[in-house]
Amino acid sequence: MAKESLWGFGCLMRRKRVDSAGTRCRGQQLAKRLSAVDLVAIGVGSTIGAGVYILVGTVARQQTGPGLIISFLIGGIAAALSAFCYAELACRCPSAGSAYHYTYICVGEGVAWLIGWALILEYTLGSAAVARGISPNLVLFFGGADKLPTIVARHTIYGVVVDPCAAILVCVVALLLCLGIKESSLVQTIVTTVNVAVMAFIVIAGVYVGFMTGWVGYELPNGYFPFGVNGVFAGSATLFYSYVGFDSVTSTAEEVKNPQRDLPIGIGIALSLCCILYMLVSAVIVGLVPYYALDPDTPISSAFAHYGMEWAAYVITIGALTALCSGLIGGILPQPRILMAMARDGLLPSFFSDINKHTKVPVKSTVVTGIAAAALAFLLDIDQLAGMVSVGTLLAFTTVAVSILILRYVPPEEVPFPSSLQDSIHFESISCSSSIQGTEGEKNKDSVGSCEHLLDNEGSLVGHPLIEKAAHAEHNELRRRKIASWCIASVCIGALLLASAASAKDLPGIPRFILYGVGGVFLSCGLIGLTSIDQDDAWHSFGHPGGFTCPLVPLLPVCCILINTYLLINLGSRLMFQNNHSALTCHVAFLRHGVVPSLLWVGEAIRWHLDAGFNMAGSWSFDISILRPVSQLIARHNLSASSRC
């Protein structure tokens, strides 16, 4: 007990109880004003970013060719696996905090602390990166970079390139979010509608030009898959990040009028619409111009300019600007709600959990996150910001999939026996207790004698068939939960080993195949074990039942864990260390010193995080296939390469 108190490791596995449908949340609550339409707008706006206007050309030229459509489809299916897991947990736990909230309930406080800070850092850096990409897109409308107004143009101060336009836009978005969730969702809907309209223009105009010219891009001597199947899958790994953003929908779960119905609809429609738009745009662009002739910098504009439609560049630039603005709103929106959720749980000061009485939003948290993102957007170059995002999202996706397995097989709210059996045991105990206490008359004494065989020396019930049945059921249930826990751990270990083997291309052949074999054994044993044992009956009544349930459990969450682990390891160990060093430092401070002193460590961790970005970004070699297209895009255009592109 003393050692646990000294080091604080008892909190690592401590889990909070989920609010059920029959309980009322205490304290201030966010206003329930969002509908399914609002959620679709938030999801699409957070997902479709300006990066898709560039990645179409980069991925087609380097990895897929005309098979770009298939790569977008595979990336969408991979993202849908995580969306299924998010949808069930959001319905059962409709509270602010998204992946942090679900992890705290299912996994434990220590992992939730890491996930919370990883998401906060990722959203903050991603928002700053998106804001830094807006001013370069305004050059086309002003006729050149030298003609930009002073308030919009970038300036160099003491060797640091500052961007006042980015800082101002972040402050404007933060102010918008302070007005209320309905007002901000309305603006998000308008901006997203413009972006979708631009993409619809690209499809319609492209189809017309394609039929007029005969789709010359598909007339290739080497077929539709010039880079083979491996190129298609490599492209899908890159394009997977184009679907990241639907998790912003789950951060607003507490503000949804009917979360059990609207959250799955919002997530599903948003992801499906994004996948359809991506596939249509890519099908048109690679059909208008051969993939090897696409301009990697401006593939869509150059494709239309090839047929004399230079004016289309203005329409496409409007789409890129609206995509950046909607991505900025979607990036800042979840941050104050995660801070609020952590403050509610006592992991941050109560200052962050205050909700404005008039707007019913966490204004103080929104102001703090707005100031932090504005400062980063004003001071830091996008090259330093680009390599610091996506890790938090992949970590969240992985823990959410693990949470689904825990929910189904070892749910936090344990119910050792069925309710009918519990009622029978309770009734039998009351009957015998009342008989024992009755001492008036011979009749009562006879009743006492009839129940005395149920009591041991300490007065507890033993030997009764119903009690023996309950004890046997409890033993079997504990055994099943223990087996399920080991199977889940085996799945996680196997996914980690397989992903490491797939990513370790420099590893010699024999050790790599051994790693493949060991990882495959762990993953297969865990999956077979989970498939062969029964799921816990308690998950049916966990939290708020009656909403969406994730299908194909345990296969779907296991595939989700494997895919996200592979993508996470592919980011590189040095990048992973940098992104998680600050969250790990915060966690150690939290364990050793408590919440308040750890805030000082948070500041030091963020300072180290940013210093490492300045010092290391120039020396890193982005030789991983996932990062190469995005890094080249950033170096040439200063567009956002955040996970919500």
Side-chain angles (χ1 to χ4, degrees):
M1 186 70 175
K3 181 180 290 187
E4 180 177 324
S5 177
L6 176 64
W7 291 97
F9 285 112
C11 68
L12 287 174
M13 301 304 296
R14 185 169 59 205
R15 298 186 288 190
K16 68 177 181 180
R17 187 179 180 87
V18 64
D19 294 325
S20 63
T23 61
R24 295 182 179 180
C25 298
R26 299 178 180 178
Q28 294 178 315
Q29 298 297 306
L30 302 175
K32 294 183 176 295
R33 302 185 61 187
L34 295 181
S35 62
V37 177
D38 299 319
L39 297 179
V40 172
I42 293 173
V44 174
S46 302
T47 303
I48 299 180
V52 70
Y53 291 92
I54 311 298
L55 287 181
V56 169
T58 306
V59 176
R61 280 177 59 94
Q62 298 180 359
Q63 294 176 316
T64 64
L68 180 67
I69 306 100
I70 307 300
S71 294
F72 266 118
L73 178 61
I74 296 174
I77 294 174
L81 300 180
S82 297
F84 281 125
C85 299
Y86 265 96
E88 175 169 350
L89 291 174
C91 291
R92 294 187 178 275
C93 314
S95 183
S98 188
Y100 158 78
H101 180 61
Y102 314 143
T103 306
Y104 203 160
I105 291 174
C106 296
V107 182
E109 184 176 298
V111 180
W113 172 263
L114 286 172
I115 294 299
W117 276 110
L119 287 176
I120 291 171
L121 292 173
E122 182 232 341
Y123 280 128
T124 304
L125 296 171
S127 301
V130 170
R132 294 279 296 200
I134 292 178
S135 57
N137 284 274
L138 298 175
V139 173
L140 180 64
F141 295 100
F142 286 93
D146 55 338
K147 296 182 180 180
L148 287 174
T150 304
I151 195 174
V152 176
R154 293 179 176 178
H155 307 279
T156 302
I157 302 177
Y158 297 108
V160 178
V161 179
V162 298
D163 193 337
C165 177
I168 293 173
L169 286 173
V170 171
C171 293
V172 170
V173 171
L175 178 62
L176 172 66
L177 295 175
C178 290
L179 298 178
I181 186 63
K182 192 65 177 179
E183 291 75 10
S184 56
S185 65
L186 176 61
V187 175
Q188 178 77 307
T189 302
I190 296 173
V191 176
T192 302
T193 302
V194 176
N195 186 20
V196 172
V198 171
M199 299 187 74
F201 161 78
I202 295 172
V203 173
I204 295 173
V207 168
Y208 174 77
V209 174
F211 279 112
M212 294 294 293
T213 58
W215 299 104
V216 296
Y218 290 117
E219 298 176 358
L220 301 173
N222 51 354
Y224 294 124
F225 304 101
F227 299 95
V229 177
N230 291 335
V232 173
F233 280 100
S236 65
T238 305
L239 298 173
F240 172 83
Y241 298 100
S242 298
Y243 292 97
V244 173
F246 64 84
D247 51 325
S248 298
V249 175
T250 60
S251 66
T252 63
E254 190 174 318
E255 299 160 283
V256 181
K257 297 177 182 178
N258 189 349
Q260 278 69 39
R261 182 196 66 185
D262 294 342
L263 281 170
I265 292 176
I267 295 174
I269 293 179
L271 198 59
S272 301
L273 183 59
C274 292
C275 184
I276 293 172
L277 289 174
Y278 287 158
M279 294 177 65
L280 290 176
V281 170
S282 61
V284 167
I285 297 306
V286 298
L288 292 179
V289 181
Y291 73 92
Y292 51 81
L294 285 172
D295 188 336
D297 299 335
T298 57
I300 301 178
S301 301
S302 62
F304 283 103
H306 183 74
Y307 296 97
M309 300 174 61
E310 289 82 1
W311 55 269
Y314 292 92
V315 179
I316 295 169
T317 303
I318 292 175
L321 285 171
T322 55
L324 288 170
C325 292
S326 61
L328 183 59
I329 297 174
I332 298 179
L333 176 65
Q335 298 178 57
R337 284 150 182 82
I338 296 176
L339 288 174
M340 182 189 68
M342 296 178 71
R344 283 176 173 177
D345 298 331
L347 302 183
L348 287 177
S350 59
F351 169 86
F352 294 100
S353 63
D354 290 343
I355 297 177
N356 187 274
K357 296 181 180 180
H358 302 287
T359 62
K360 294 297 182 180
V361 294
V363 172
K364 295 180 181 179
S365 297
T366 305
V367 171
V368 171
T369 55
I371 293 174
L376 294 176
F378 181 75
L379 295 173
L380 294 188
D381 188 13
I382 195 171
D383 289 330
Q384 280 97 31
L385 297 174
M388 303 179 189
V389 295
S390 299
V391 171
T393 298
L394 292 176
L395 283 173
F397 283 6
T398 304
T399 54
V400 166
V402 174
S403 298
I404 285 291
L405 294 178
I406 293 175
L407 168 63
R408 293 297 185 90
Y409 291 96
V410 282
E413 293 181 346
E414 296 186 23
V415 182
F417 314 118
S419 58
S420 59
L421 186 58
Q422 285 184 323
D423 293 339
S424 300
I425 296 173
H426 182 62
F427 175 78
E428 188 72 22
S429 300
I430 293 177
S431 300
C432 291
S433 297
S434 59
S435 299
I436 294 172
Q437 291 176 358
T439 55
E440 297 177 0
E442 293 294 332
K443 190 173 184 178
N444 287 343
K445 292 182 180 180
D446 294 338
S447 299
V448 172
S450 65
C451 290
E452 283 180 348
H453 71 282
L454 299 178
L455 303 176
D456 61 7
N457 295 333
E458 298 180 355
S460 59
L461 293 170
V462 294
H464 194 275
L466 188 60
I467 306 304
E468 291 181 352
K469 181 180 179 181
H472 182 69
E474 180 181 12
H475 175 74
N476 290 337
E477 176 63 15
L478 291 176
R479 182 172 175 270
R480 187 201 63 80
R481 292 175 68 91
K482 185 176 181 179
I483 295 174
S485 300
W486 279 107
C487 289
I488 295 174
S490 178
V491 165
C492 296
I493 295 173
L496 181 61
L497 294 177
L498 285 175
S500 301
S503 302
K505 295 181 173 56
D506 296 333
L507 194 67
I510 295 179
R512 190 177 182 187
F513 281 112
I514 293 176
L515 200 60
Y516 270 123
V518 175
V521 169
F522 271 98
L523 186 68
S524 301
C525 292
L527 180 59
I528 294 173
L530 291 175
T531 306
S532 60
I533 63 178
D534 295 331
Q535 298 182 16
D536 198 303
D537 293 334
W539 77 268
H540 294 287
S541 57
F542 180 84
H544 296 250
F548 178 83
T549 56
C550 181
L552 301 178
V553 177
L555 180 61
L556 189 147
V558 169
C559 293
C560 181
I561 293 171
L562 182 60
I563 292 173
N564 291 313
T565 304
Y566 170 74
L567 294 174
L568 187 61
I569 292 179
N570 251 337
L571 289 178
S573 58
R574 296 176 70 182
L575 181 60
M576 289 174 59
F577 174 77
Q578 181 194 358
N579 275 268
N580 291 288
H581 179 275
S582 45
L584 182 60
T585 305
C586 296
H587 184 59
V588 173
F590 165 72
L591 292 176
R592 294 295 303 275
H593 305 288
V595 174
V596 177
S598 70
L599 295 179
L600 301 177
W601 284 50
V602 170
E604 288 298 314
I606 295 176
R607 182 191 61 78
W608 183 95
H609 191 97
L610 299 179
D611 288 344
F614 278 118
N615 296 331
M616 299 176 63
S619 62
W620 284 349
S621 174
F622 292 99
D623 57 348
I624 302 173
S625 59
I626 292 180
L627 294 179
R628 184 182 296 113
V630 183
S631 61
Q632 291 177 353
L633 158 66
I634 295 167
R636 295 178 182 179
H637 284 274
N638 282 339
L639 289 179
S640 170
S642 68
S643 61
R644 289 162 301 282
C645 66

